[in-house]
Amino acid sequence: NGVLGGFDMSKVKRILSCTRSDFEKMSAKELKESIFAAEGRTILAQNLVMFSGLIDGITNTELEAAFGADLILLNGYALDKNKEMPGMLGMRLKDVKKLVNRPLGIYLECPEVNSNVAGERREAASDRVASVENIEKCLNEGADFIILGGNPGTGTTFESIIAATKLTKSIVGDKALIFAGKWEDGTVEKVLGDPLAK
């Protein structure tokens, strides 16, 4: 009947078949439907834009697109336009998006201000945390999705990720997708053996 995961697949192209003009017309919901329509064959690649690319004169974002990435995450993307990002070669998200014709996203951290962190605490850069200002900047930059999480040592908790997700949704609405969760040792709680029921 053309319905998958509650979505009507007859109304959207699979992400595998989309072109720039398709992506430019898609709402966040349609992008999600497009991903669902690919039935598990969607690849999300990430790169750390605070470091230089693998090949001079080419961004890693372009390489990832050339090798088949469907969605690309810019990790370490500076929303402060005065900060350098060697991996972007002086470009901003909108510029790179024109080169790769793929949905691009930005990673934001969700530190808990008062959490206890074993060892030395690492402060998340102010232009890379989930705040009203930064979420609005992500939209203005043209981000198609925002990923919320926490890096080791920043004191991120499940509660801070949940709070950041609610805040982001209240600002983003249906203008961008939101991915939220925990990976690596990105929260104070242990990664392995977590009772996730709560």
Side-chain angles (χ1 to χ4, degrees), residues 120-168:
E120 186 177 336
R121 184 178 176 121
R122 185 184 68 77
E123 291 300 319
S126 62
D127 68 325
R128 291 182 47 212
V129 298
S131 67
V132 171
E133 179 183 9
N134 289 340
I135 295 162
E136 288 173 346
K137 284 182 179 179
C138 286
L139 291 177
N140 291 335
E141 292 269 354
D144 299 290
F145 60 95
I146 298 171
I147 293 187
L148 303 167
N151 283 312
T154 59
T156 300
T157 63
F158 286 124
E159 288 72 22
S160 63
I161 293 173
I162 292 167
T165 304
K166 289 178 179 177
L167 173 67
T168 304

Side-chain angles (χ1 to χ4, degrees), residues 12-20 22-23 26 34 38 70:
V12 68
K13 276 188 185 179
R14 299 179 310 165
I15 194 168
L16 307 169
S17 304
C18 291
T19 63
R20 178 193 294 188
D22 296 316
F23 290 129
M26 281 185 184
S34 181
D70 302 297

